[in-house]
């Protein structure tokens, strides 16, 4: 009897996680719009042919992921919420803090993410996001002789590039490594002449995105980070500082 009970619990757990996965995919794909009702427990039990316990466990998982929220009252129930990137950012941030990454590892990851972000931004140019990208690079331009201000503006430009892609995962990834990016840009090798060159390539990337030229946007972003790679080769052996180091 005990063995049968354990098997039933394992089966219920498998069903609930399968259901949670199906609902998660539908929510993230936009098949179930933000703000709409997920339906009652009885409705979900009937639709997915599973027990009340499995439905409740699946709902608990989705709520923990920030994908659904409960509303009280006569017309209450489970509703689709606007997913937050915070859990993703926190998970990546913890991973980075727990590993001794080299500076060059940071560049390799950025090349993959930012080049893809530039391509997606150029494929679907958004006037509002382009305006923000332009505004932040103007700040970079004004602060080339002020290292602290430039480092801050440069970081915000790269985050604006990710936002211009319209891909929240790109934004989450760059946000999670922003502390390391900030520290890397503060290295003494990045003098005023290098900062001016950075502003110039930022404009080239911006122009490619504005013109809807994905190939040029990708090429210019890779060239930009490639130059950054050369600057960091002399400090390749140094680990990326963890949060404690960053706060010192």
């Amino acid at each position: 009897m005990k063995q049968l009970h354990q098997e039933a619990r394992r089966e219920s757990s498998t069903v609930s996680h399968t259901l949670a996965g199906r609902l998660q995919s539908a929510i993230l794909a936009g098949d179930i719009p933000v703000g709409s009702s997920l339906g009652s427990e009885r409705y979900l039990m009937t639709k997915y042919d599973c027990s009340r316990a499995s439905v409740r466990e699946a709902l608990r998982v989705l709520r923990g992921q920030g994908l659904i929220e409960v509303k009280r009252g006569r017309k209450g129930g489970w509703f689709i919420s606007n997913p937050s990137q915070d859990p993703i950012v926190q998970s990546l941030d913890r991973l980075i803090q727990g590993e001794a990454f080299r500076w060059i590892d940071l560049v390799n990851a950025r090349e993959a993410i930012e080049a893809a972000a530039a391509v997606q931004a150029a494929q679907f140019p958004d006037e509002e996001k382009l305006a923000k990208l332009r505004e932040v690079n103007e700040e970079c331009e004004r602060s080339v002789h002020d290292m602290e201000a430039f480092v801050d503006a440069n970081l915000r430009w790269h985050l604006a590039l990710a936002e211009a892609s319209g891909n929240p995962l790109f934004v989450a990834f760059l946000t999670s490594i922003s502390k390391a990016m900030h520290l890397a840009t503060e290295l003494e090798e990045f003098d005023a002449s290098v900062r001016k060159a950075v502003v110039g390539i930022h404009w080239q990337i911006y122009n490619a995105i504005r013109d809807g030229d994905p190939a040029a946007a990708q090429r210019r972003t890779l060239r930009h980070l490639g130059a950054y790679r050369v600057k960091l080769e002399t400090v390749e052996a140094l680990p990326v500082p963890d949060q404690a180091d960053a706060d010192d």
Side-chain angles (χ1 to χ4, degrees):
M1 181 65 70
K2 182 178 180 180
Q3 183 178 356
L4 289 174
H5 181 64
Q6 290 175 335
E7 289 177 354
R9 289 184 61 185
R10 283 196 296 270
E11 182 177 350
S12 176
S13 177
T14 300
V15 171
S16 63
H17 281 81
T18 299
L19 175 57
R22 291 179 65 180
L23 292 172
Q24 179 192 57
S25 298
I27 293 169
L28 295 178
D31 296 335
I32 311 176
V34 171
S36 63
S37 173
L38 193 57
S40 67
E41 290 182 2
R42 184 174 297 280
Y43 167 79
L44 294 172
M45 290 166 58
T46 302
K47 181 175 181 178
Y48 295 101
D49 190 25
C50 56
S51 68
R52 185 180 297 274
S54 295
V55 167
R56 287 183 172 176
E57 175 61 17
L59 293 174
R60 186 192 66 78
V61 171
L62 294 174
R63 188 180 190 182
Q65 295 172 339
L67 296 176
I68 61 173
E69 58 185 348
V70 65
K71 294 183 180 180
R72 307 296 180 185
R74 286 185 58 191
K75 296 184 179 180
W78 292 101
F79 290 80
I80 310 305
S81 60
N82 195 7
S84 168
Q85 68 178 22
D86 289 346
I88 302 173
V89 172
Q90 292 169 8
S91 295
L92 286 171
D93 193 43
R94 284 194 294 269
L95 172 64
I96 290 169
Q97 290 181 35
E99 299 287 342
F101 286 97
R102 301 170 301 166
W103 292 113
I104 207 68
D105 293 329
L106 183 68
V107 181
N108 289 337
R110 289 183 60 190
E111 283 180 341
I113 296 297
E114 293 190 51
V119 167
Q120 194 164 325
Q123 289 173 331
F124 310 101
D126 180 286
E127 287 298 326
E128 184 176 343
K129 292 172 182 175
L130 276 171
K132 182 176 180 180
L133 199 60
R134 181 178 64 250
E135 179 184 332
V136 178
N137 203 41
E138 288 171 351
E139 289 186 43
C140 289
E141 200 165 38
R142 289 192 296 268
S143 60
V144 289
H145 297 292
D146 182 337
M147 181 63 176
E148 184 176 348
F150 178 84
V151 168
D152 178 67
N154 179 66
L155 176 58
R156 286 188 288 111
W157 188 89
H158 285 274
L159 290 173
L161 173 62
E163 290 171 0
S165 73
N167 188 325
L169 291 177
F170 291 160
V171 178
F173 179 80
L174 285 187
T175 300
S176 71
I177 64 171
S178 60
K179 296 183 184 72
M181 289 168 63
H182 191 284
L183 288 165
T185 312
E186 285 183 321
L187 296 174
E188 292 182 2
E189 287 87 349
F190 294 91
D191 57 25
S193 64
V194 173
R195 288 174 231 150
K196 288 181 180 179
V198 166
V199 171
I201 191 63
H202 281 182
W203 283 126
Q204 292 178 28
I205 296 168
Y206 166 83
N207 289 337
I209 294 172
R210 180 199 60 196
D211 296 341
D213 189 339
Q218 180 185 49
R219 184 173 63 252
R220 293 169 186 177
T221 302
L222 289 173
R223 185 166 72 241
H224 176 35
L225 292 172
Y228 188 59
R229 171 193 294 277
V230 171
K231 282 290 178 182
L232 287 176
E233 282 177 349
T234 58
V235 290
E236 181 179 0
L238 294 178
V240 174
D242 61 18
Q243 181 62 45
D245 296 328
D247 290 342
D248 287 344

mmCIF file with all atom_site columns, all heavy atoms in Angstrom, residues 83-104:
data_model
loop_
_atom_site.group_PDB
_atom_site.id
_atom_site.type_symbol
_atom_site.label_atom_id
_atom_site.label_alt_id
_atom_site.label_comp_id
_atom_site.label_asym_id
_atom_site.label_entity_id
_atom_site.label_seq_id
_atom_site.pdbx_PDB_ins_code
_atom_site.Cartn_x
_atom_site.Cartn_y
_atom_site.Cartn_z
_atom_site.occupancy
_atom_site.B_iso_or_equiv
_atom_site.pdbx_formal_charge
_atom_site.auth_seq_id
_atom_site.auth_comp_id
_atom_site.auth_asym_id
_atom_site.auth_atom_id
_atom_site.pdbx_PDB_model_num
ATOM 1   N N   . PRO A 1 83  ? 5.097  38.879 -17.123 1.00 0.00 ? 83  PRO A N   1
ATOM 2   C CA  . PRO A 1 83  ? 6.257  38.196 -16.555 1.00 0.00 ? 83  PRO A CA  1
ATOM 3   C C   . PRO A 1 83  ? 7.402  39.156 -16.277 1.00 0.00 ? 83  PRO A C   1
ATOM 4   O O   . PRO A 1 83  ? 7.698  40.019 -17.093 1.00 0.00 ? 83  PRO A O   1
ATOM 5   C CB  . PRO A 1 83  ? 6.642  37.174 -17.630 1.00 0.00 ? 83  PRO A CB  1
ATOM 6   C CG  . PRO A 1 83  ? 5.711  37.335 -18.753 1.00 0.00 ? 83  PRO A CG  1
ATOM 7   C CD  . PRO A 1 83  ? 4.754  38.417 -18.454 1.00 0.00 ? 83  PRO A CD  1
ATOM 8   N N   . SER A 1 84  ? 8.028  38.979 -15.130 1.00 0.00 ? 84  SER A N   1
ATOM 9   C CA  . SER A 1 84  ? 9.172  39.817 -14.749 1.00 0.00 ? 84  SER A CA  1
ATOM 10  C C   . SER A 1 84  ? 10.469 39.106 -15.101 1.00 0.00 ? 84  SER A C   1
ATOM 11  O O   . SER A 1 84  ? 10.568 37.885 -15.037 1.00 0.00 ? 84  SER A O   1
ATOM 12  C CB  . SER A 1 84  ? 9.121  40.084 -13.241 1.00 0.00 ? 84  SER A CB  1
ATOM 13  O OG  . SER A 1 84  ? 10.328 40.633 -12.793 1.00 0.00 ? 84  SER A OG  1
ATOM 14  N N   . GLN A 1 85  ? 11.477 39.888 -15.473 1.00 0.00 ? 85  GLN A N   1
ATOM 15  C CA  . GLN A 1 85  ? 12.777 39.290 -15.777 1.00 0.00 ? 85  GLN A CA  1
ATOM 16  C C   . GLN A 1 85  ? 13.626 39.146 -14.509 1.00 0.00 ? 85  GLN A C   1
ATOM 17  O O   . GLN A 1 85  ? 14.705 38.560 -14.550 1.00 0.00 ? 85  GLN A O   1
ATOM 18  C CB  . GLN A 1 85  ? 13.528 40.160 -16.773 1.00 0.00 ? 85  GLN A CB  1
ATOM 19  C CG  . GLN A 1 85  ? 13.965 41.501 -16.212 1.00 0.00 ? 85  GLN A CG  1
ATOM 20  C CD  . GLN A 1 85  ? 14.749 42.309 -17.224 1.00 0.00 ? 85  GLN A CD  1
ATOM 21  O OE1 . GLN A 1 85  ? 14.661 42.107 -18.412 1.00 0.00 ? 85  GLN A OE1 1
ATOM 22  N NE2 . GLN A 1 85  ? 15.526 43.245 -16.741 1.00 0.00 ? 85  GLN A NE2 1
ATOM 23  N N   . ASP A 1 86  ? 13.131 39.666 -13.366 1.00 0.00 ? 86  ASP A N   1
ATOM 24  C CA  . ASP A 1 86  ? 13.950 39.654 -12.159 1.00 0.00 ? 86  ASP A CA  1
ATOM 25  C C   . ASP A 1 86  ? 14.475 38.273 -11.783 1.00 0.00 ? 86  ASP A C   1
ATOM 26  O O   . ASP A 1 86  ? 15.657 38.131 -11.454 1.00 0.00 ? 86  ASP A O   1
ATOM 27  C CB  . ASP A 1 86  ? 13.172 40.247 -10.984 1.00 0.00 ? 86  ASP A CB  1
ATOM 28  C CG  . ASP A 1 86  ? 12.996 41.758 -11.122 1.00 0.00 ? 86  ASP A CG  1
ATOM 29  O OD1 . ASP A 1 86  ? 13.698 42.351 -11.965 1.00 0.00 ? 86  ASP A OD1 1
ATOM 30  O OD2 . ASP A 1 86  ? 12.172 42.337 -10.408 1.00 0.00 ? 86  ASP A OD2 1
ATOM 31  N N   . PRO A 1 87  ? 13.649 37.211 -11.784 1.00 0.00 ? 87  PRO A N   1
ATOM 32  C CA  . PRO A 1 87  ? 14.182 35.889 -11.426 1.00 0.00 ? 87  PRO A CA  1
ATOM 33  C C   . PRO A 1 87  ? 15.307 35.444 -12.351 1.00 0.00 ? 87  PRO A C   1
ATOM 34  O O   . PRO A 1 87  ? 16.264 34.807 -11.918 1.00 0.00 ? 87  PRO A O   1
ATOM 35  C CB  . PRO A 1 87  ? 12.953 34.977 -11.568 1.00 0.00 ? 87  PRO A CB  1
ATOM 36  C CG  . PRO A 1 87  ? 11.787 35.877 -11.387 1.00 0.00 ? 87  PRO A CG  1
ATOM 37  C CD  . PRO A 1 87  ? 12.199 37.170 -12.025 1.00 0.00 ? 87  PRO A CD  1
ATOM 38  N N   . ILE A 1 88  ? 15.210 35.773 -13.659 1.00 0.00 ? 88  ILE A N   1
ATOM 39  C CA  . ILE A 1 88  ? 16.263 35.410 -14.607 1.00 0.00 ? 88  ILE A CA  1
ATOM 40  C C   . ILE A 1 88  ? 17.535 36.146 -14.265 1.00 0.00 ? 88  ILE A C   1
ATOM 41  O O   . ILE A 1 88  ? 18.627 35.577 -14.223 1.00 0.00 ? 88  ILE A O   1
ATOM 42  C CB  . ILE A 1 88  ? 15.826 35.732 -16.047 1.00 0.00 ? 88  ILE A CB  1
ATOM 43  C CG1 . ILE A 1 88  ? 14.534 35.003 -16.402 1.00 0.00 ? 88  ILE A CG1 1
ATOM 44  C CG2 . ILE A 1 88  ? 16.917 35.370 -17.044 1.00 0.00 ? 88  ILE A CG2 1
ATOM 45  C CD1 . ILE A 1 88  ? 13.945 35.396 -17.741 1.00 0.00 ? 88  ILE A CD1 1
ATOM 46  N N   . VAL A 1 89  ? 17.402 37.464 -14.034 1.00 0.00 ? 89  VAL A N   1
ATOM 47  C CA  . VAL A 1 89  ? 18.570 38.286 -13.711 1.00 0.00 ? 89  VAL A CA  1
ATOM 48  C C   . VAL A 1 89  ? 19.246 37.783 -12.449 1.00 0.00 ? 89  VAL A C   1
ATOM 49  O O   . VAL A 1 89  ? 20.466 37.649 -12.384 1.00 0.00 ? 89  VAL A O   1
ATOM 50  C CB  . VAL A 1 89  ? 18.150 39.765 -13.533 1.00 0.00 ? 89  VAL A CB  1
ATOM 51  C CG1 . VAL A 1 89  ? 19.317 40.589 -13.002 1.00 0.00 ? 89  VAL A CG1 1
ATOM 52  C CG2 . VAL A 1 89  ? 17.672 40.338 -14.866 1.00 0.00 ? 89  VAL A CG2 1
ATOM 53  N N   . GLN A 1 90  ? 18.447 37.485 -11.420 1.00 0.00 ? 90  GLN A N   1
ATOM 54  C CA  . GLN A 1 90  ? 19.013 37.020 -10.153 1.00 0.00 ? 90  GLN A CA  1
ATOM 55  C C   . GLN A 1 90  ? 19.731 35.689 -10.322 1.00 0.00 ? 90  GLN A C   1
ATOM 56  O O   . GLN A 1 90  ? 20.811 35.486 -9.757  1.00 0.00 ? 90  GLN A O   1
ATOM 57  C CB  . GLN A 1 90  ? 17.901 36.899 -9.113  1.00 0.00 ? 90  GLN A CB  1
ATOM 58  C CG  . GLN A 1 90  ? 17.323 38.242 -8.687  1.00 0.00 ? 90  GLN A CG  1
ATOM 59  C CD  . GLN A 1 90  ? 16.058 38.100 -7.860  1.00 0.00 ? 90  GLN A CD  1
ATOM 60  O OE1 . GLN A 1 90  ? 15.679 36.998 -7.477  1.00 0.00 ? 90  GLN A OE1 1
ATOM 61  N NE2 . GLN A 1 90  ? 15.393 39.215 -7.592  1.00 0.00 ? 90  GLN A NE2 1
ATOM 62  N N   . SER A 1 91  ? 19.166 34.788 -11.115 1.00 0.00 ? 91  SER A N   1
ATOM 63  C CA  . SER A 1 91  ? 19.793 33.477 -11.325 1.00 0.00 ? 91  SER A CA  1
ATOM 64  C C   . SER A 1 91  ? 21.131 33.630 -12.035 1.00 0.00 ? 91  SER A C   1
ATOM 65  O O   . SER A 1 91  ? 22.134 33.022 -11.644 1.00 0.00 ? 91  SER A O   1
ATOM 66  C CB  . SER A 1 91  ? 18.873 32.571 -12.144 1.00 0.00 ? 91  SER A CB  1
ATOM 67  O OG  . SER A 1 91  ? 17.700 32.289 -11.433 1.00 0.00 ? 91  SER A OG  1
ATOM 68  N N   . LEU A 1 92  ? 21.174 34.439 -13.099 1.00 0.00 ? 92  LEU A N   1
ATOM 69  C CA  . LEU A 1 92  ? 22.414 34.649 -13.829 1.00 0.00 ? 92  LEU A CA  1
ATOM 70  C C   . LEU A 1 92  ? 23.447 35.369 -12.968 1.00 0.00 ? 92  LEU A C   1
ATOM 71  O O   . LEU A 1 92  ? 24.631 35.051 -13.011 1.00 0.00 ? 92  LEU A O   1
ATOM 72  C CB  . LEU A 1 92  ? 22.144 35.455 -15.100 1.00 0.00 ? 92  LEU A CB  1
ATOM 73  C CG  . LEU A 1 92  ? 21.445 34.702 -16.236 1.00 0.00 ? 92  LEU A CG  1
ATOM 74  C CD1 . LEU A 1 92  ? 21.045 35.662 -17.345 1.00 0.00 ? 92  LEU A CD1 1
ATOM 75  C CD2 . LEU A 1 92  ? 22.359 33.618 -16.797 1.00 0.00 ? 92  LEU A CD2 1
ATOM 76  N N   . ASP A 1 93  ? 22.979 36.334 -12.183 1.00 0.00 ? 93  ASP A N   1
ATOM 77  C CA  . ASP A 1 93  ? 23.887 37.079 -11.322 1.00 0.00 ? 93  ASP A CA  1
ATOM 78  C C   . ASP A 1 93  ? 24.537 36.149 -10.302 1.00 0.00 ? 93  ASP A C   1
ATOM 79  O O   . ASP A 1 93  ? 25.740 36.223 -10.042 1.00 0.00 ? 93  ASP A O   1
ATOM 80  C CB  . ASP A 1 93  ? 23.115 38.192 -10.614 1.00 0.00 ? 93  ASP A CB  1
ATOM 81  C CG  . ASP A 1 93  ? 24.040 39.204 -9.956  1.00 0.00 ? 93  ASP A CG  1
ATOM 82  O OD1 . ASP A 1 93  ? 25.031 39.592 -10.592 1.00 0.00 ? 93  ASP A OD1 1
ATOM 83  O OD2 . ASP A 1 93  ? 23.769 39.601 -8.806  1.00 0.00 ? 93  ASP A OD2 1
ATOM 84  N N   . ARG A 1 94  ? 23.734 35.236 -9.723  1.00 0.00 ? 94  ARG A N   1
ATOM 85  C CA  . ARG A 1 94  ? 24.292 34.274 -8.760  1.00 0.00 ? 94  ARG A CA  1
ATOM 86  C C   . ARG A 1 94  ? 25.304 33.353 -9.433  1.00 0.00 ? 94  ARG A C   1
ATOM 87  O O   . ARG A 1 94  ? 26.340 33.018 -8.857  1.00 0.00 ? 94  ARG A O   1
ATOM 88  C CB  . ARG A 1 94  ? 23.164 33.455 -8.118  1.00 0.00 ? 94  ARG A CB  1
ATOM 89  C CG  . ARG A 1 94  ? 22.377 34.207 -7.059  1.00 0.00 ? 94  ARG A CG  1
ATOM 90  C CD  . ARG A 1 94  ? 21.525 33.255 -6.237  1.00 0.00 ? 94  ARG A CD  1
ATOM 91  N NE  . ARG A 1 94  ? 20.490 32.637 -7.040  1.00 0.00 ? 94  ARG A NE  1
ATOM 92  C CZ  . ARG A 1 94  ? 19.270 33.142 -7.178  1.00 0.00 ? 94  ARG A CZ  1
ATOM 93  N NH1 . ARG A 1 94  ? 18.940 34.273 -6.590  1.00 0.00 ? 94  ARG A NH1 1
ATOM 94  N NH2 . ARG A 1 94  ? 18.363 32.521 -7.914  1.00 0.00 ? 94  ARG A NH2 1
ATOM 95  N N   . LEU A 1 95  ? 25.009 32.932 -10.683 1.00 0.00 ? 95  LEU A N   1
ATOM 96  C CA  . LEU A 1 95  ? 25.933 32.069 -11.415 1.00 0.00 ? 95  LEU A CA  1
ATOM 97  C C   . LEU A 1 95  ? 27.260 32.774 -11.647 1.00 0.00 ? 95  LEU A C   1
ATOM 98  O O   . LEU A 1 95  ? 28.332 32.209 -11.415 1.00 0.00 ? 95  LEU A O   1
ATOM 99  C CB  . LEU A 1 95  ? 25.321 31.680 -12.762 1.00 0.00 ? 95  LEU A CB  1
ATOM 100 C CG  . LEU A 1 95  ? 26.250 30.938 -13.739 1.00 0.00 ? 95  LEU A CG  1
ATOM 101 C CD1 . LEU A 1 95  ? 26.657 29.581 -13.168 1.00 0.00 ? 95  LEU A CD1 1
ATOM 102 C CD2 . LEU A 1 95  ? 25.577 30.765 -15.089 1.00 0.00 ? 95  LEU A CD2 1
ATOM 103 N N   . ILE A 1 96  ? 27.201 34.032 -12.073 1.00 0.00 ? 96  ILE A N   1
ATOM 104 C CA  . ILE A 1 96  ? 28.417 34.792 -12.361 1.00 0.00 ? 96  ILE A CA  1
ATOM 105 C C   . ILE A 1 96  ? 29.232 35.008 -11.099 1.00 0.00 ? 96  ILE A C   1
ATOM 106 O O   . ILE A 1 96  ? 30.459 34.873 -11.098 1.00 0.00 ? 96  ILE A O   1
ATOM 107 C CB  . ILE A 1 96  ? 28.056 36.133 -13.020 1.00 0.00 ? 96  ILE A CB  1
ATOM 108 C CG1 . ILE A 1 96  ? 27.535 35.870 -14.440 1.00 0.00 ? 96  ILE A CG1 1
ATOM 109 C CG2 . ILE A 1 96  ? 29.249 37.073 -13.071 1.00 0.00 ? 96  ILE A CG2 1
ATOM 110 C CD1 . ILE A 1 96  ? 26.905 37.065 -15.094 1.00 0.00 ? 96  ILE A CD1 1
ATOM 111 N N   . GLN A 1 97  ? 28.562 35.329 -9.989  1.00 0.00 ? 97  GLN A N   1
ATOM 112 C CA  . GLN A 1 97  ? 29.273 35.564 -8.743  1.00 0.00 ? 97  GLN A CA  1
ATOM 113 C C   . GLN A 1 97  ? 29.934 34.285 -8.220  1.00 0.00 ? 97  GLN A C   1
ATOM 114 O O   . GLN A 1 97  ? 30.941 34.336 -7.530  1.00 0.00 ? 97  GLN A O   1
ATOM 115 C CB  . GLN A 1 97  ? 28.313 36.100 -7.686  1.00 0.00 ? 97  GLN A CB  1
ATOM 116 C CG  . GLN A 1 97  ? 27.834 37.520 -7.973  1.00 0.00 ? 97  GLN A CG  1
ATOM 117 C CD  . GLN A 1 97  ? 26.913 38.025 -6.883  1.00 0.00 ? 97  GLN A CD  1
ATOM 118 O OE1 . GLN A 1 97  ? 27.102 37.697 -5.716  1.00 0.00 ? 97  GLN A OE1 1
ATOM 119 N NE2 . GLN A 1 97  ? 25.928 38.811 -7.263  1.00 0.00 ? 97  GLN A NE2 1
ATOM 120 N N   . GLY A 1 98  ? 29.383 33.137 -8.574  1.00 0.00 ? 98  GLY A N   1
ATOM 121 C CA  . GLY A 1 98  ? 29.911 31.870 -8.068  1.00 0.00 ? 98  GLY A CA  1
ATOM 122 C C   . GLY A 1 98  ? 31.015 31.264 -8.902  1.00 0.00 ? 98  GLY A C   1
ATOM 123 O O   . GLY A 1 98  ? 31.561 30.225 -8.552  1.00 0.00 ? 98  GLY A O   1
ATOM 124 N N   . GLU A 1 99  ? 31.356 31.895 -10.013 1.00 0.00 ? 99  GLU A N   1
ATOM 125 C CA  . GLU A 1 99  ? 32.382 31.364 -10.899 1.00 0.00 ? 99  GLU A CA  1
ATOM 126 C C   . GLU A 1 99  ? 33.500 32.385 -11.098 1.00 0.00 ? 99  GLU A C   1
ATOM 127 O O   . GLU A 1 99  ? 33.271 33.588 -11.072 1.00 0.00 ? 99  GLU A O   1
ATOM 128 C CB  . GLU A 1 99  ? 31.777 31.023 -12.274 1.00 0.00 ? 99  GLU A CB  1
ATOM 129 C CG  . GLU A 1 99  ? 30.690 29.963 -12.228 1.00 0.00 ? 99  GLU A CG  1
ATOM 130 C CD  . GLU A 1 99  ? 31.234 28.576 -11.967 1.00 0.00 ? 99  GLU A CD  1
ATOM 131 O OE1 . GLU A 1 99  ? 32.451 28.383 -12.158 1.00 0.00 ? 99  GLU A OE1 1
ATOM 132 O OE2 . GLU A 1 99  ? 30.457 27.706 -11.568 1.00 0.00 ? 99  GLU A OE2 1
ATOM 133 N N   . ALA A 1 100 ? 34.738 31.892 -11.320 1.00 0.00 ? 100 ALA A N   1
ATOM 134 C CA  . ALA A 1 100 ? 35.885 32.762 -11.583 1.00 0.00 ? 100 ALA A CA  1
ATOM 135 C C   . ALA A 1 100 ? 36.029 32.978 -13.087 1.00 0.00 ? 100 ALA A C   1
ATOM 136 O O   . ALA A 1 100 ? 36.859 32.374 -13.744 1.00 0.00 ? 100 ALA A O   1
ATOM 137 C CB  . ALA A 1 100 ? 37.159 32.147 -11.000 1.00 0.00 ? 100 ALA A CB  1
ATOM 138 N N   . PHE A 1 101 ? 35.191 33.835 -13.636 1.00 0.00 ? 101 PHE A N   1
ATOM 139 C CA  . PHE A 1 101 ? 35.236 34.105 -15.061 1.00 0.00 ? 101 PHE A CA  1
ATOM 140 C C   . PHE A 1 101 ? 36.434 34.995 -15.396 1.00 0.00 ? 101 PHE A C   1
ATOM 141 O O   . PHE A 1 101 ? 36.797 35.882 -14.629 1.00 0.00 ? 101 PHE A O   1
ATOM 142 C CB  . PHE A 1 101 ? 33.953 34.820 -15.506 1.00 0.00 ? 101 PHE A CB  1
ATOM 143 C CG  . PHE A 1 101 ? 32.759 33.916 -15.570 1.00 0.00 ? 101 PHE A CG  1
ATOM 144 C CD1 . PHE A 1 101 ? 31.862 33.854 -14.525 1.00 0.00 ? 101 PHE A CD1 1
ATOM 145 C CD2 . PHE A 1 101 ? 32.542 33.120 -16.679 1.00 0.00 ? 101 PHE A CD2 1
ATOM 146 C CE1 . PHE A 1 101 ? 30.761 33.024 -14.580 1.00 0.00 ? 101 PHE A CE1 1
ATOM 147 C CE2 . PHE A 1 101 ? 31.441 32.285 -16.739 1.00 0.00 ? 101 PHE A CE2 1
ATOM 148 C CZ  . PHE A 1 101 ? 30.549 32.238 -15.690 1.00 0.00 ? 101 PHE A CZ  1
ATOM 149 N N   . ARG A 1 102 ? 37.025 34.757 -16.563 1.00 0.00 ? 102 ARG A N   1
ATOM 150 C CA  . ARG A 1 102 ? 38.053 35.655 -17.071 1.00 0.00 ? 102 ARG A CA  1
ATOM 151 C C   . ARG A 1 102 ? 37.365 36.807 -17.785 1.00 0.00 ? 102 ARG A C   1
ATOM 152 O O   . ARG A 1 102 ? 36.241 36.681 -18.240 1.00 0.00 ? 102 ARG A O   1
ATOM 153 C CB  . ARG A 1 102 ? 38.977 34.916 -18.041 1.00 0.00 ? 102 ARG A CB  1
ATOM 154 C CG  . ARG A 1 102 ? 39.700 33.717 -17.439 1.00 0.00 ? 102 ARG A CG  1
ATOM 155 C CD  . ARG A 1 102 ? 40.396 32.925 -18.522 1.00 0.00 ? 102 ARG A CD  1
ATOM 156 N NE  . ARG A 1 102 ? 39.422 32.464 -19.522 1.00 0.00 ? 102 ARG A NE  1
ATOM 157 C CZ  . ARG A 1 102 ? 39.767 31.975 -20.722 1.00 0.00 ? 102 ARG A CZ  1
ATOM 158 N NH1 . ARG A 1 102 ? 41.037 31.919 -21.076 1.00 0.00 ? 102 ARG A NH1 1
ATOM 159 N NH2 . ARG A 1 102 ? 38.835 31.574 -21.574 1.00 0.00 ? 102 ARG A NH2 1
ATOM 160 N N   . TRP A 1 103 ? 38.062 37.932 -17.905 1.00 0.00 ? 103 TRP A N   1
ATOM 161 C CA  . TRP A 1 103 ? 37.497 39.064 -18.643 1.00 0.00 ? 103 TRP A CA  1
ATOM 162 C C   . TRP A 1 103 ? 37.146 38.636 -20.068 1.00 0.00 ? 103 TRP A C   1
ATOM 163 O O   . TRP A 1 103 ? 36.143 39.055 -20.623 1.00 0.00 ? 103 TRP A O   1
ATOM 164 C CB  . TRP A 1 103 ? 38.498 40.218 -18.685 1.00 0.00 ? 103 TRP A CB  1
ATOM 165 C CG  . TRP A 1 103 ? 38.772 40.869 -17.372 1.00 0.00 ? 103 TRP A CG  1
ATOM 166 C CD1 . TRP A 1 103 ? 39.947 40.858 -16.680 1.00 0.00 ? 103 TRP A CD1 1
ATOM 167 C CD2 . TRP A 1 103 ? 37.866 41.639 -16.575 1.00 0.00 ? 103 TRP A CD2 1
ATOM 168 N NE1 . TRP A 1 103 ? 39.815 41.572 -15.509 1.00 0.00 ? 103 TRP A NE1 1
ATOM 169 C CE2 . TRP A 1 103 ? 38.549 42.055 -15.423 1.00 0.00 ? 103 TRP A CE2 1
ATOM 170 C CE3 . TRP A 1 103 ? 36.517 41.998 -16.735 1.00 0.00 ? 103 TRP A CE3 1
ATOM 171 C CZ2 . TRP A 1 103 ? 37.945 42.825 -14.435 1.00 0.00 ? 103 TRP A CZ2 1
ATOM 172 C CZ3 . TRP A 1 103 ? 35.919 42.768 -15.755 1.00 0.00 ? 103 TRP A CZ3 1
ATOM 173 C CH2 . TRP A 1 103 ? 36.625 43.174 -14.622 1.00 0.00 ? 103 TRP A CH2 1
ATOM 174 N N   . ILE A 1 104 ? 38.001 37.797 -20.662 1.00 0.00 ? 104 ILE A N   1
ATOM 175 C CA  . ILE A 1 104 ? 37.776 37.399 -22.051 1.00 0.00 ? 104 ILE A CA  1
ATOM 176 C C   . ILE A 1 104 ? 36.516 36.546 -22.181 1.00 0.00 ? 104 ILE A C   1
ATOM 177 O O   . ILE A 1 104 ? 35.852 36.536 -23.217 1.00 0.00 ? 104 ILE A O   1
ATOM 178 C CB  . ILE A 1 104 ? 39.021 36.659 -22.611 1.00 0.00 ? 104 ILE A CB  1
ATOM 179 C CG1 . ILE A 1 104 ? 39.093 36.821 -24.137 1.00 0.00 ? 104 ILE A CG1 1
ATOM 180 C CG2 . ILE A 1 104 ? 39.057 35.211 -22.195 1.00 0.00 ? 104 ILE A CG2 1
ATOM 181 C CD1 . ILE A 1 104 ? 39.374 38.209 -24.594 1.00 0.00 ? 104 ILE A CD1 1
#
